[in-house]
Amino acid sequence: MGTNKELTSISKATIGRLPAYHRYLKEKQAEGERTISSTAIAEDLHLNAVQVRKDLALISSTAGKPKRGFDVDELIGDIDRFLGYDNVSDAVLVGAGGLGSALVGYGGFKNYGLNIVAAFDTNPALIGRSIKGVRVCDARELSSLVRRLNVRIGIIAVPKEAAQGAADALVEGGVRAIWNFAPVHLALPENIAVKNEDMAASLAILSKRLAEILSHEK
Amino acid sequence: MGTNKELTSISKATIGRLPAYHRYLKEKQAEGERTISSTAIAEDLHLNAVQVRKDLALISSTAGKPKRGFDVDELIGDIDRFLGYDNVSDAVLVGAGGLGSALVGYGGFKNYGLNIVAAFDTNPALIGRSIKGVRVCDARELSSLVRRLNVRIGIIAVPKEAAQGAADALVEGGVRAIWNFAPVHLALPENIAVKNEDMAASLAILSKRLAEILSHEK
DNA sequence: TAGATTGTTAATCGATTAACAATC
DNA sequence: TAGATTGTTAATCGATTAACAATC
């Protein structure tokens, strides 16, 4: 059951769209819908219907039915399983300042398969405190604690000057994936997954689009 | 000078890389480097050298010189101008809670051409306060104030339930670009630029990469 | 000069979209 | 049945990479 499908590498683009499908389906589910068509999803999410069908085909355990579409509950379950939303992994947060605590508060990341088990900071005023139920520990204990807890994912939310050091400490502790919110390119070993959350890049794309829109009109 | 080049549509992918080049060049500048080669940039940033050259060709006012490379100062100036870092635009923030105040504190967005002139919230405890020098106003005044200040960019950092309402109010006030941090797909008129900061999408991509890495090793 | 580095043209790769037969 | 909707094959589009001649 789907074992092989999950090994086939599914494109980054598709994976990036799955959470949006998931949210959308959850909404529909809450509204009491039992089935949904790819055309409806495409229209509401401003995507191409063929693209939606192809994406869903890659992760769904049951094919859609002509005339009816896809089973909402089943599709949600499929995405849950594919993205590991049913199977929470532990993570640590480095940097318990503004951004860090916003992140902890924000997401309800647990719904997205991520459980933040500890935070770290160098600021003595923060160490020992809790933010949203997460204990803030001394950054000097980072590597050893990460190793002891066997954590594989680290989130970096420190000022840019401290980001490389944080990354190094995470790697030393055995972390294999880093979600980096600091505006720096981290130098890391080959076999570590990194995802940079580059706000400046997003902003650049947005403002160029804005400029285009403004130029098109009168 | 470069007028036409800027109208030629430059790919989103390229625009997204420019801030990284900019940061890198600023670092090199601080280290006293006068020139830089595309090969060096590519190596440090883990990109392809041809890609770097093509990206730079699109925005640079002077071509690189064989054997020497590009002039660091000039390149920085070119990116500044291209991305509008030299020409700050006003923006408003909707939602002055955890994420909102982290965003204001975070970026030093002014360096990225963005000046947050006001924040809005519905929470009476926040209204009237200032976060990092930005005044928090009553959300009911959003549309009128945005219109009065002639602001074109809105940042949404409210809980997902409130996001569509915030977007509507921004549009009503005349905003033309929305940077959305709420995990919802916003329904908006055609001619409004939107950039969704979808944390769940980033996380999905990161965890899939992690899964791949872990599976590759014994 | 020799070699590092450039810019450009062509090839490749990957992702999106169009066309269409199959089916509930 | 007719029509909405599916999945798949082929065409298109866009972005990345390779190959290479030009040049300081």
Side-chain angles (χ1 to χ4, degrees), chain A residues 164-189:
Chain A
Q164 183 65 53
D168 294 342
L170 286 168
V171 170
E172 200 191 314
V175 151
R176 308 305 300 277
I178 292 180
W179 197 4
N180 178 32
F181 286 83
V184 237
H185 179 87
L186 301 172
L188 290 166

PDB file of all heavy atoms in Angstrom, chain A residues 164-189:
ATOM      1  N   GLN A 164      25.447  31.020  12.288  1.00  0.00           N
ATOM      2  CA  GLN A 164      26.380  29.968  11.915  1.00  0.00           C
ATOM      3  C   GLN A 164      26.794  29.147  13.139  1.00  0.00           C
ATOM      4  O   GLN A 164      26.863  27.916  13.073  1.00  0.00           O
ATOM      5  CB  GLN A 164      27.615  30.558  11.208  1.00  0.00           C
ATOM      6  CG  GLN A 164      28.598  29.500  10.723  1.00  0.00           C
ATOM      7  CD  GLN A 164      28.007  28.606   9.639  1.00  0.00           C
ATOM      8  OE1 GLN A 164      27.498  29.071   8.624  1.00  0.00           O
ATOM      9  NE2 GLN A 164      28.051  27.288   9.847  1.00  0.00           N
ATOM     10  N   GLY A 165      27.025  29.845  14.238  1.00  0.00           N
ATOM     11  CA  GLY A 165      27.378  29.152  15.470  1.00  0.00           C
ATOM     12  C   GLY A 165      26.266  28.222  15.930  1.00  0.00           C
ATOM     13  O   GLY A 165      26.515  27.077  16.340  1.00  0.00           O
ATOM     14  N   ALA A 166      25.057  28.703  15.837  1.00  0.00           N
ATOM     15  CA  ALA A 166      23.902  27.882  16.208  1.00  0.00           C
ATOM     16  C   ALA A 166      23.835  26.643  15.327  1.00  0.00           C
ATOM     17  O   ALA A 166      23.628  25.527  15.810  1.00  0.00           O
ATOM     18  CB  ALA A 166      22.616  28.699  16.078  1.00  0.00           C
ATOM     19  N   ALA A 167      24.036  26.849  14.038  1.00  0.00           N
ATOM     20  CA  ALA A 167      23.995  25.723  13.096  1.00  0.00           C
ATOM     21  C   ALA A 167      25.070  24.697  13.447  1.00  0.00           C
ATOM     22  O   ALA A 167      24.803  23.493  13.487  1.00  0.00           O
ATOM     23  CB  ALA A 167      24.185  26.235  11.670  1.00  0.00           C
ATOM     24  N   ASP A 168      26.266  25.185  13.721  1.00  0.00           N
ATOM     25  CA  ASP A 168      27.362  24.274  14.058  1.00  0.00           C
ATOM     26  C   ASP A 168      27.022  23.457  15.291  1.00  0.00           C
ATOM     27  O   ASP A 168      27.248  22.239  15.335  1.00  0.00           O
ATOM     28  CB  ASP A 168      28.654  25.066  14.289  1.00  0.00           C
ATOM     29  CG  ASP A 168      29.157  25.740  13.017  1.00  0.00           C
ATOM     30  OD1 ASP A 168      28.721  25.331  11.917  1.00  0.00           O
ATOM     31  OD2 ASP A 168      29.964  26.686  13.127  1.00  0.00           O
ATOM     32  N   ALA A 169      26.479  24.118  16.301  1.00  0.00           N
ATOM     33  CA  ALA A 169      26.130  23.425  17.539  1.00  0.00           C
ATOM     34  C   ALA A 169      25.040  22.383  17.288  1.00  0.00           C
ATOM     35  O   ALA A 169      25.090  21.275  17.827  1.00  0.00           O
ATOM     36  CB  ALA A 169      25.669  24.433  18.593  1.00  0.00           C
ATOM     37  N   LEU A 170      24.073  22.734  16.468  1.00  0.00           N
ATOM     38  CA  LEU A 170      23.004  21.779  16.137  1.00  0.00           C
ATOM     39  C   LEU A 170      23.579  20.547  15.462  1.00  0.00           C
ATOM     40  O   LEU A 170      23.269  19.407  15.828  1.00  0.00           O
ATOM     41  CB  LEU A 170      21.962  22.437  15.222  1.00  0.00           C
ATOM     42  CG  LEU A 170      21.010  23.440  15.890  1.00  0.00           C
ATOM     43  CD1 LEU A 170      20.243  24.237  14.836  1.00  0.00           C
ATOM     44  CD2 LEU A 170      20.039  22.741  16.839  1.00  0.00           C
ATOM     45  N   VAL A 171      24.436  20.785  14.480  1.00  0.00           N
ATOM     46  CA  VAL A 171      25.027  19.664  13.746  1.00  0.00           C
ATOM     47  C   VAL A 171      25.861  18.806  14.692  1.00  0.00           C
ATOM     48  O   VAL A 171      25.797  17.578  14.639  1.00  0.00           O
ATOM     49  CB  VAL A 171      25.885  20.181  12.573  1.00  0.00           C
ATOM     50  CG1 VAL A 171      26.691  19.048  11.955  1.00  0.00           C
ATOM     51  CG2 VAL A 171      24.994  20.840  11.519  1.00  0.00           C
ATOM     52  N   GLU A 172      26.595  19.474  15.565  1.00  0.00           N
ATOM     53  CA  GLU A 172      27.391  18.701  16.514  1.00  0.00           C
ATOM     54  C   GLU A 172      26.514  17.822  17.395  1.00  0.00           C
ATOM     55  O   GLU A 172      26.895  16.719  17.776  1.00  0.00           O
ATOM     56  CB  GLU A 172      28.225  19.636  17.386  1.00  0.00           C
ATOM     57  CG  GLU A 172      29.385  18.906  18.025  1.00  0.00           C
ATOM     58  CD  GLU A 172      30.052  19.738  19.089  1.00  0.00           C
ATOM     59  OE1 GLU A 172      30.312  20.934  18.817  1.00  0.00           O
ATOM     60  OE2 GLU A 172      30.298  19.195  20.192  1.00  0.00           O
ATOM     61  N   GLY A 173      25.320  18.310  17.692  1.00  0.00           N
ATOM     62  CA  GLY A 173      24.393  17.535  18.501  1.00  0.00           C
ATOM     63  C   GLY A 173      23.707  16.418  17.736  1.00  0.00           C
ATOM     64  O   GLY A 173      22.987  15.623  18.317  1.00  0.00           O
ATOM     65  N   GLY A 174      23.902  16.391  16.427  1.00  0.00           N
ATOM     66  CA  GLY A 174      23.342  15.298  15.632  1.00  0.00           C
ATOM     67  C   GLY A 174      22.102  15.648  14.834  1.00  0.00           C
ATOM     68  O   GLY A 174      21.469  14.784  14.241  1.00  0.00           O
ATOM     69  N   VAL A 175      21.771  16.933  14.803  1.00  0.00           N
ATOM     70  CA  VAL A 175      20.613  17.370  14.014  1.00  0.00           C
ATOM     71  C   VAL A 175      20.887  17.146  12.533  1.00  0.00           C
ATOM     72  O   VAL A 175      22.013  17.262  12.071  1.00  0.00           O
ATOM     73  CB  VAL A 175      20.323  18.863  14.320  1.00  0.00           C
ATOM     74  CG1 VAL A 175      19.697  19.560  13.134  1.00  0.00           C
ATOM     75  CG2 VAL A 175      19.438  18.984  15.546  1.00  0.00           C
ATOM     76  N   ARG A 176      19.873  16.756  11.772  1.00  0.00           N
ATOM     77  CA  ARG A 176      20.065  16.462  10.351  1.00  0.00           C
ATOM     78  C   ARG A 176      19.269  17.384   9.437  1.00  0.00           C
ATOM     79  O   ARG A 176      19.342  17.269   8.206  1.00  0.00           O
ATOM     80  CB  ARG A 176      19.693  15.005  10.062  1.00  0.00           C
ATOM     81  CG  ARG A 176      20.372  13.996  10.965  1.00  0.00           C
ATOM     82  CD  ARG A 176      21.876  14.148  10.947  1.00  0.00           C
ATOM     83  NE  ARG A 176      22.428  13.969   9.623  1.00  0.00           N
ATOM     84  CZ  ARG A 176      22.698  12.779   9.106  1.00  0.00           C
ATOM     85  NH1 ARG A 176      22.515  11.696   9.822  1.00  0.00           N
ATOM     86  NH2 ARG A 176      23.171  12.682   7.889  1.00  0.00           N
ATOM     87  N   ALA A 177      18.440  18.242  10.029  1.00  0.00           N
ATOM     88  CA  ALA A 177      17.658  19.175   9.224  1.00  0.00           C
ATOM     89  C   ALA A 177      17.572  20.510   9.943  1.00  0.00           C
ATOM     90  O   ALA A 177      17.348  20.550  11.155  1.00  0.00           O
ATOM     91  CB  ALA A 177      16.257  18.634   8.981  1.00  0.00           C
ATOM     92  N   ILE A 178      17.799  21.592   9.200  1.00  0.00           N
ATOM     93  CA  ILE A 178      17.802  22.920   9.809  1.00  0.00           C
ATOM     94  C   ILE A 178      16.844  23.832   9.065  1.00  0.00           C
ATOM     95  O   ILE A 178      16.901  23.966   7.839  1.00  0.00           O
ATOM     96  CB  ILE A 178      19.227  23.515   9.807  1.00  0.00           C
ATOM     97  CG1 ILE A 178      20.107  22.709  10.771  1.00  0.00           C
ATOM     98  CG2 ILE A 178      19.201  24.991  10.193  1.00  0.00           C
ATOM     99  CD1 ILE A 178      21.541  23.203  10.861  1.00  0.00           C
ATOM    100  N   TRP A 179      15.963  24.439   9.844  1.00  0.00           N
ATOM    101  CA  TRP A 179      15.020  25.411   9.298  1.00  0.00           C
ATOM    102  C   TRP A 179      15.542  26.778   9.716  1.00  0.00           C
ATOM    103  O   TRP A 179      15.477  27.135  10.883  1.00  0.00           O
ATOM    104  CB  TRP A 179      13.644  25.136   9.893  1.00  0.00           C
ATOM    105  CG  TRP A 179      12.503  25.758   9.154  1.00  0.00           C
ATOM    106  CD1 TRP A 179      12.543  26.454   8.002  1.00  0.00           C
ATOM    107  CD2 TRP A 179      11.121  25.716   9.543  1.00  0.00           C
ATOM    108  NE1 TRP A 179      11.267  26.837   7.631  1.00  0.00           N
ATOM    109  CE2 TRP A 179      10.388  26.394   8.555  1.00  0.00           C
ATOM    110  CE3 TRP A 179      10.426  25.150  10.628  1.00  0.00           C
ATOM    111  CZ2 TRP A 179       8.993  26.549   8.621  1.00  0.00           C
ATOM    112  CZ3 TRP A 179       9.049  25.304  10.690  1.00  0.00           C
ATOM    113  CH2 TRP A 179       8.345  25.992   9.691  1.00  0.00           C
ATOM    114  N   ASN A 180      16.079  27.503   8.774  1.00  0.00           N
ATOM    115  CA  ASN A 180      16.836  28.709   9.097  1.00  0.00           C
ATOM    116  C   ASN A 180      16.079  29.999   8.813  1.00  0.00           C
ATOM    117  O   ASN A 180      15.813  30.330   7.662  1.00  0.00           O
ATOM    118  CB  ASN A 180      18.138  28.709   8.292  1.00  0.00           C
ATOM    119  CG  ASN A 180      18.967  29.953   8.526  1.00  0.00           C
ATOM    120  OD1 ASN A 180      18.952  30.525   9.617  1.00  0.00           O
ATOM    121  ND2 ASN A 180      19.696  30.388   7.505  1.00  0.00           N
ATOM    122  N   PHE A 181      15.771  30.731   9.876  1.00  0.00           N
ATOM    123  CA  PHE A 181      15.073  32.007   9.729  1.00  0.00           C
ATOM    124  C   PHE A 181      16.028  33.194   9.748  1.00  0.00           C
ATOM    125  O   PHE A 181      15.587  34.335   9.601  1.00  0.00           O
ATOM    126  CB  PHE A 181      14.021  32.169  10.831  1.00  0.00           C
ATOM    127  CG  PHE A 181      12.811  31.311  10.614  1.00  0.00           C
ATOM    128  CD1 PHE A 181      12.816  29.979  11.002  1.00  0.00           C
ATOM    129  CD2 PHE A 181      11.678  31.816   9.985  1.00  0.00           C
ATOM    130  CE1 PHE A 181      11.698  29.168  10.787  1.00  0.00           C
ATOM    131  CE2 PHE A 181      10.563  31.009   9.768  1.00  0.00           C
ATOM    132  CZ  PHE A 181      10.574  29.682  10.178  1.00  0.00           C
ATOM    133  N   ALA A 182      17.301  32.962   9.958  1.00  0.00           N
ATOM    134  CA  ALA A 182      18.254  34.077   9.962  1.00  0.00           C
ATOM    135  C   ALA A 182      18.659  34.385   8.529  1.00  0.00           C
ATOM    136  O   ALA A 182      18.825  33.473   7.721  1.00  0.00           O
ATOM    137  CB  ALA A 182      19.481  33.713  10.786  1.00  0.00           C
ATOM    138  N   PRO A 183      18.808  35.652   8.209  1.00  0.00           N
ATOM    139  CA  PRO A 183      19.172  36.024   6.841  1.00  0.00           C
ATOM    140  C   PRO A 183      20.653  35.835   6.563  1.00  0.00           C
ATOM    141  O   PRO A 183      21.381  36.799   6.372  1.00  0.00           O
ATOM    142  CB  PRO A 183      18.753  37.497   6.758  1.00  0.00           C
ATOM    143  CG  PRO A 183      18.796  37.996   8.155  1.00  0.00           C
ATOM    144  CD  PRO A 183      18.590  36.838   9.071  1.00  0.00           C
ATOM    145  N   VAL A 184      21.081  34.604   6.550  1.00  0.00           N
ATOM    146  CA  VAL A 184      22.465  34.252   6.226  1.00  0.00           C
ATOM    147  C   VAL A 184      22.478  32.918   5.504  1.00  0.00           C
ATOM    148  O   VAL A 184      21.635  32.070   5.759  1.00  0.00           O
ATOM    149  CB  VAL A 184      23.343  33.961   7.472  1.00  0.00           C
ATOM    150  CG1 VAL A 184      24.543  34.843   7.506  1.00  0.00           C
ATOM    151  CG2 VAL A 184      22.544  33.974   8.746  1.00  0.00           C
ATOM    152  N   HIS A 185      23.472  32.761   4.657  1.00  0.00           N
ATOM    153  CA  HIS A 185      23.688  31.470   4.037  1.00  0.00           C
ATOM    154  C   HIS A 185      24.575  30.668   4.962  1.00  0.00           C
ATOM    155  O   HIS A 185      25.694  31.067   5.253  1.00  0.00           O
ATOM    156  CB  HIS A 185      24.344  31.634   2.668  1.00  0.00           C
ATOM    157  CG  HIS A 185      24.594  30.322   2.002  1.00  0.00           C
ATOM    158  ND1 HIS A 185      23.645  29.697   1.229  1.00  0.00           N
ATOM    159  CD2 HIS A 185      25.661  29.515   2.021  1.00  0.00           C
ATOM    160  CE1 HIS A 185      24.131  28.565   0.799  1.00  0.00           C
ATOM    161  NE2 HIS A 185      25.359  28.423   1.254  1.00  0.00           N
ATOM    162  N   LEU A 186      24.073  29.535   5.427  1.00  0.00           N
ATOM    163  CA  LEU A 186      24.848  28.724   6.355  1.00  0.00           C
ATOM    164  C   LEU A 186      25.782  27.787   5.611  1.00  0.00           C
ATOM    165  O   LEU A 186      25.406  27.189   4.600  1.00  0.00           O
ATOM    166  CB  LEU A 186      23.890  27.888   7.220  1.00  0.00           C
ATOM    167  CG  LEU A 186      22.879  28.672   8.053  1.00  0.00           C
ATOM    168  CD1 LEU A 186      21.873  27.729   8.694  1.00  0.00           C
ATOM    169  CD2 LEU A 186      23.587  29.504   9.114  1.00  0.00           C
ATOM    170  N   ALA A 187      26.992  27.674   6.129  1.00  0.00           N
ATOM    171  CA  ALA A 187      27.934  26.681   5.596  1.00  0.00           C
ATOM    172  C   ALA A 187      27.753  25.407   6.406  1.00  0.00           C
ATOM    173  O   ALA A 187      27.930  25.413   7.616  1.00  0.00           O
ATOM    174  CB  ALA A 187      29.361  27.204   5.723  1.00  0.00           C
ATOM    175  N   LEU A 188      27.375  24.334   5.725  1.00  0.00           N
ATOM    176  CA  LEU A 188      27.032  23.091   6.430  1.00  0.00           C
ATOM    177  C   LEU A 188      27.558  21.881   5.685  1.00  0.00           C
ATOM    178  O   LEU A 188      27.791  21.943   4.482  1.00  0.00           O
ATOM    179  CB  LEU A 188      25.509  22.964   6.544  1.00  0.00           C
ATOM    180  CG  LEU A 188      24.817  23.932   7.490  1.00  0.00           C
ATOM    181  CD1 LEU A 188      23.330  23.943   7.251  1.00  0.00           C
ATOM    182  CD2 LEU A 188      25.133  23.553   8.936  1.00  0.00           C
ATOM    183  N   PRO A 189      27.718  20.765   6.398  1.00  0.00           N
ATOM    184  CA  PRO A 189      28.125  19.527   5.718  1.00  0.00           C
ATOM    185  C   PRO A 189      27.083  19.115   4.685  1.00  0.00           C
ATOM    186  O   PRO A 189      25.907  19.482   4.801  1.00  0.00           O
ATOM    187  CB  PRO A 189      28.176  18.497   6.852  1.00  0.00           C
ATOM    188  CG  PRO A 189      28.174  19.258   8.121  1.00  0.00           C
ATOM    189  CD  PRO A 189      27.549  20.575   7.846  1.00  0.00           C
TER     190      PRO A 189
END
